Amino acid sequence: MLKQLLSKFPRKSSRSDGSSETLSSTGCDDGASSGNSIQRASSMNSGSNKSAAVVKRMSSAVFPASVVAGIEPLLSFREMNLCCVVFDFNDQVKNSVEKDLKAQALLELVEHVSTAATKFSEQAIAASCKMFAANLFRVFPPNYRSGSSASENDEDEPKFDPAWSHLQIVYELLLKFIASPSLDAKMAKKHVDHWFILQLLDLFDSEDPRERDCLKTILHRIYGKFMVHRPFIRKSVGNIFYRFTFETERHNGISELLEVLGSSPDPLHKSKSVGIYLQPLTFCITQFIEKDPRLASVVIMGLLKYWPITNSQKEVMFLGELEEVLETTTMAEFQKVMVPLFTRIGCCLNSSHFQVAERALFLWNNDHIASLVAQNRQAILPVVLPALERNASSHWNQTVLNATLNVRKMFSEMDEELFLACRRKHEEEEAQRAEAEERRRTNWARIEEAAAAAAAFQPAAGYTAVLVNPPAAPPIFT
């Protein structure tokens, strides 16, 4: 099947003249370990020495491959070696025949992997992994990450890789290879190793959203099939999150990685560009809480730790995420954090930014949250009522004012006796605060009057009085 395709490549007579133009090809180096950079060698004639691969910069990636102008007959190579040839897709016309032959060979491999009935041999697994590495693993050039920190508008103008028509087939083959029941995980783990996984994770920084979406699915399959690699994957993804949060604040694949897993979600709220990946981040956190409800109090305290006090837009986002977290929070975990939580919510209620105050008031529209509050009203109402009373008397926005009155009415109907007691206490505290403010104002007025009187005093002789230490008494001799 593939040998028939290989036979279609044009033959070229060998030339000994080093100055003449040669047609180079690339292949997987069987002797290279998976931990080293991928080497491709020219093997046109039997017994010829392997030449070093020439690194060529692509438009969105640096492929370690020579510019292929033609291909020697590869009949002596294994069929997999044909798919290790890497072409330059910046020029769509260049080597078009060879590109089509390789694409056809890859499609044949996809069909073969999809219909394989027997277990893959270790030699086939090793050759496949080297072929995947040759085609996919590449270093993005420095100018690829140029620019300032990411913002919510970055995804509006995605950049597409010109080689995607080729890469898509390779990713499809890798996905079917990993998911195939013919792949023995115990045998394959020696080749799908830590180096392979790290190279795969590096590709998540691709600017092509189609590639990141494929990588997300493949990483999910690897995480599910290779249980031995799960701790390493979690640690490596966590390192990407920490590097993004505390060093670069620039990475294109945070959202996709969070959809697979998130080992350290709370610090990610610190980033300025949290709006880009907030939805998958919230999904990741809620999944953690559903699997282990005891994490709810830890997550809520983490949100309070990174609460954006001076950023109203992020504050609205945090309130939305907080609502989703509270929906999965049990009573026991809620009671651990309800006082500091509603202290922060009270501050949001009094925010001069009407969207923040409005979003905080909308928390009471959630039935689960309203139920949690009702069952713990003895502790929550004394914390929240002062903020509600201040809103009712002085907030400038009519929508916030109406929502405040509705929440206050809800508390009154919930427990009128408690509501009135908390209201009286608040009125007493407000009276004491006003009295203390008046005393403070009176004291400052007296100080200002005394300072003005001192400044108006002028000495008669025109000299300024200076405090001089009295002279020491002379010693008395006896």
Side-chain angles (χ1 to χ4, degrees), residues 24 48 57 63 78 104 177 258 277 281 312 419 425 445:
S24 61
S48 63
R57 180 179 298 273
F63 289 92
R78 293 192 303 249
Q104 184 62 34
F177 177 77
L258 281 168
Y277 51 83
L281 177 61
S312 298
F419 176 81
K425 182 179 180 181

Side-chain angles (χ1 to χ4, degrees), residues 25 28 34 57 75-76 101 236 250 293 298 302 328 400 419 439:
S25 69
C28 286
S34 61
R57 180 179 298 273
L75 296 177
S76 60
L101 290 174
S236 300
R250 176 77 184 186
V298 178
T328 59
V400 174
F419 176 81
R439 287 198 302 268

